[in-house]
Every structure is written in C-alpha cells, then in structure tokens.
Amino acid sequence: MSSTLTSYTEALNSLAFSDEAKARMKARLAAARDEGAAGDDAPASAPAALAFVPAAPASKARARKRPVALKVAATAAGIVLALGAGGYGVAAAAGILPAPSEVLSDVFGDGPAQTRIIDKVGHPLNASATSNGMTVTARAVIGDANGFAVVFDVSFDDGWPFDPQDVKFGVNDKLMLAWNEGGPDLTVDGATAMTGGSYFYDADPSDNTIQYVVNYDQVKLILGGSIAGRTARVSLTELDRFTEDGRIETVVTGNWDLKFELNYEDTTVSVPAGQTTTLAGHEVTVSAIGVSDTGVTLDYDVIGYDVEGADSYKLFELPVTVTFADGSEESFTSGGGSTSKHDDVDSVSWSHTFDHIHDAGDVVSITIGDVTVPVNE
C-alpha cells in the first residue's frame, strides 16, 4: 500500500467525534442540502467572457521549471505520456490524492465551490482567494472525456506590480511568468497521473488583470469514471517573473488556496473514422476521432511496429494537422496516451492539447498522416 493511502487509513481510523461535533456535522450537511436545493433557482454570477488567444511557442521561462519535452514510459501498464517539443508541460506523478487534512476540511470547513454550466462551459461560483493585494479567481472550465482546461484571472488590487511589457515575449504576447516550484499547480481528487501545460496571457491590457490557463490533455483516474464532477484543488504561494537577462524576480508572495468542482460538458465533436495511413512505414487503421475545444483524441491500431519499453513513445509520433475556419493550422508531431498490444498489433489511444482554447465548431478538417478528414460538414 502506498504511503499516501496509508496516511488516509491512519487519519480516518483515528477519527473520533464528540456529541457536539456530530451535531455540528449534521447541521452543516443539512445546510448544504438546503443550499443545493435552492441553488438551481439562484442567479448565476456573470463571469467575464472566456478569451481565446492566438497560439504561441511555450515560455522558455516555464521550461526552467518543467521539462520542455517530456516522455514518460511505464511499460508494465502500457502507458506512455508524451508532450511535443514545441510545448512546455507538467507531468503529475502517480498517486495524486488530496491530503487527509484536505478531505477533512471538506467535511468540517467549506466544501469545493460549486460550478454552474452555461453553454457547456463550467463557471465556478466564488472560487477566489486574495492575499497581499493579489486575487486569483477560477473563471471557466472546459473539457472532454480525457482532459480539461481551467482559465484563471489574476488581478492586482493596487495596479501592476511590474510593467506588463517587460514580461511579454513572442509574436503572441505570452507572459514570462510562473508560479513557484513545489508540485503541480492544480490537482484533481482521484487522479493518478496528469499531463499538460500552462501559460499566462493578457486578454485586456487596459485592466490590471492577467489570465492563467492550465490545460491537462490526459487525466488518469484511480477507479476510472468521469473527470467531470471531481474536485480540483489549487495551492499557490509565489508568483515569479523572468527578466530578459535571465534573472528570476518574485512579484508577490502569499497564500492562494482554491477548490472547486470540475463541472463541464464534453465538447467533443465525433468524426467518422475508418481511415488507413502509415506510421514509420507501418500500416495504421484509425478507429475513432474526436475534436474538442481543448484538443484532439484518436484511437488507432499500428500493425507490425516492433517497439516496446522506452521506445513506446514512437507509437505516438503519428503526424496530425488541424485546420480551422479562418485558414490557420495547428500541427502535432507527437501525442500522449496509452497503448495495449495483441500479437503484432499495437492499439493506441492518442491525444494532444491545442496551443490555446478553440471552438470545436471552427475545425474544418483534420489530417492524420497523409489522409485529410472533413469535420463539421
């Protein structure tokens, strides 16, 4: 048994409640029940519209804290989690569970903020934390069956603590900012592994708020099931900026702890499959194609490709290009997911996250290998 699960067992076995504590728990559960019953009729606050930003190369600043190209192979389980070299990523190791103290805080303290779904997008209600003049607010949750993206607002009560122009880079004005090291920025209850990336941008230069996006393209759950409805937990203590000469400067320190429901509707658009193409000269048959607001998912079989162990990532190097209604394209040369082998056939579940959030309805076509498949016809 893992040390994490052991700590759960020890914490729960040691619980003993006085009559007064039992009464408080009963009252809290009754209040939560009544609040949930009334919540369906309660007006939803209107969060700022979700901003869509142009794609850009990943921040070299962020790469200081996370590998630029990450490939993790677990041959026993047949799982390969991979990120393309064009993006920076975060990989959360197996065993991501909330600490027993966090579970108990959900019972005796405030539970996760509720999330209202509007047009398939989840809008967390009152998921916000303020410390030392800076406020972090969860604004929107978008996702599909495999992963999700969360958009946060980061606002400064007393105006900018730095010149935004000094932390912009690249043609698309991503911001050279990062949270402090010390673990993943966001964890999900019951998740055993997650891969993805994150970035900062400024949707409106005229205000004193910037946006932070966390995008996980693969989430593995202990007992399976749906990501939607799980509790997301965020714990931050420091925001850093990166100067042009490579120095790291602390912008603000404090404590920003948020927890909210990962409620959203799957935005996946299913595309007719059955196409054949090749990967490294080996025949590939595509059995499922999905395009969502956050990325692309594929299921395909590779015949006769003799790779295993540390070379299993090669099964994910099927080139994919997505074309959008405005004529722009986004190409991937690698993905991540899981594999299983039967005789000389490798069955692959592949996924990749877009460089930024799109509307799946704007996807015109997807090219897999040398085959182009129309979408949203």
Side-chain angles (χ1 to χ4, degrees), residues 3 7 53-55 80 88 102 118 123 178 187 191 193 221 223 273-274 303 305 330 344 351 369:
S3 59
S7 66
V53 297
V80 178
Y88 56 94
E102 293 178 335
I118 303 173
H123 299 280
T187 60
L221 301 173
L223 299 176
I303 300 174
Y305 198 2
E330 196 164 324
D344 65 341
S351 68

Side-chain angles (χ1 to χ4, degrees), residues 93-181:
I96 299 178
L97 291 167
S101 60
E102 293 178 335
V103 174
L104 297 182
S105 75
D106 291 348
V107 176
F108 295 106
D110 295 329
Q114 294 183 352
T115 297
R116 181 71 57 85
I117 299 175
I118 303 173
D119 294 332
K120 294 190 176 183
V121 178
H123 299 280
L125 306 178
N126 302 316
S128 184
T130 300
S131 183
N132 290 338
M134 190 177 83
T135 300
V136 179
T137 303
R139 285 299 184 192
V141 185
I142 300 173
D144 55 29
N146 297 294
F148 62 91
V150 182
V151 181
F152 297 86
D153 280 351
V154 180
S155 59
F156 305 97
D157 297 346
D158 299 323
W160 292 103
F162 53 84
D163 185 346
Q165 297 298 323
D166 290 343
V167 295
K168 288 184 178 181
F169 78 99
V171 295
N172 293 302
D173 291 339
K174 294 288 181 68
L175 304 180
M176 295 182 67
L177 300 169
W179 300 109
N180 64 297
E181 294 181 87

Side-chain angles (χ1 to χ4, degrees), residues 73 75 80 305-315 339 341 346:
T75 56
V80 178
Y305 198 2
D306 187 19
V307 294
E308 59 183 0
D311 291 330
S312 296
Y313 70 89
K314 294 180 180 179
L315 292 167
T339 68
K341 194 175 187 66
D346 288 284

Side-chain angles (χ1 to χ4, degrees), residues 71-328:
K71 293 184 174 71
V72 180
T75 56
I79 296 174
V80 178
L81 304 176
L83 295 173
Y88 56 94
V90 294
I96 299 178
L97 291 167
S101 60
E102 293 178 335
V103 174
L104 297 182
S105 75
D106 291 348
V107 176
F108 295 106
D110 295 329
Q114 294 183 352
T115 297
R116 181 71 57 85
I117 299 175
I118 303 173
D119 294 332
K120 294 190 176 183
V121 178
H123 299 280
L125 306 178
N126 302 316
S128 184
T130 300
S131 183
N132 290 338
M134 190 177 83
T135 300
V136 179
T137 303
R139 285 299 184 192
V141 185
I142 300 173
D144 55 29
N146 297 294
F148 62 91
V150 182
V151 181
F152 297 86
D153 280 351
V154 180
S155 59
F156 305 97
D157 297 346
D158 299 323
W160 292 103
F162 53 84
D163 185 346
Q165 297 298 323
D166 290 343
V167 295
K168 288 184 178 181
F169 78 99
V171 295
N172 293 302
D173 291 339
K174 294 288 181 68
L175 304 180
M176 295 182 67
L177 300 169
W179 300 109
N180 64 297
E181 294 181 87
D185 301 324
L186 185 153
T187 60
V188 177
D189 286 7
T192 60
M194 302 192 294
T195 63
S198 59
Y199 58 89
F200 289 84
Y201 73 98
D202 189 1
D204 183 359
S206 67
D207 63 16
N208 61 340
T209 299
I210 56 177
Q211 283 64 46
Y212 174 61
V213 180
V214 178
N215 198 338
Y216 284 111
D217 59 358
Q218 282 283 327
V219 178
K220 300 296 181 183
L221 301 173
I222 295 174
L223 299 176
S226 174
I227 304 168
R230 305 272 175 163
T231 296
R233 302 175 189 271
V234 180
S235 184
L236 307 168
T237 58
E238 180 182 305
L239 179 65
D240 296 332
R241 57 163 291 196
F242 298 83
T243 64
E244 290 185 356
D245 58 2
R247 291 180 296 107
I248 303 170
E249 296 180 350
T250 298
V251 174
V252 60
T253 59
N255 291 285
W256 300 271
D257 296 320
L258 296 80
K259 53 186 176 183
F260 52 91
E261 298 171 340
L262 282 174
N263 278 352
Y264 59 87
E265 292 184 16
D266 190 343
T267 61
T268 301
V269 174
S270 295
V271 182
Q275 301 79 12
T276 59
T277 183
T278 59
L279 170 62
H282 300 278
E283 182 179 342
V284 172
T285 301
V286 180
S287 57
I289 306 171
V291 178
S292 72
D293 290 0
T294 58
V296 178
T297 58
L298 303 173
D299 290 340
Y300 56 88
D301 292 334
V302 185
I303 300 174
Y305 198 2
D306 187 19
V307 294
E308 59 183 0
D311 291 330
S312 296
Y313 70 89
K314 294 180 180 179
L315 292 167
F316 295 88
E317 294 184 332
L318 184 64
V320 174
T321 298
V322 178
T323 302
F324 300 96
D326 62 1
S328 63

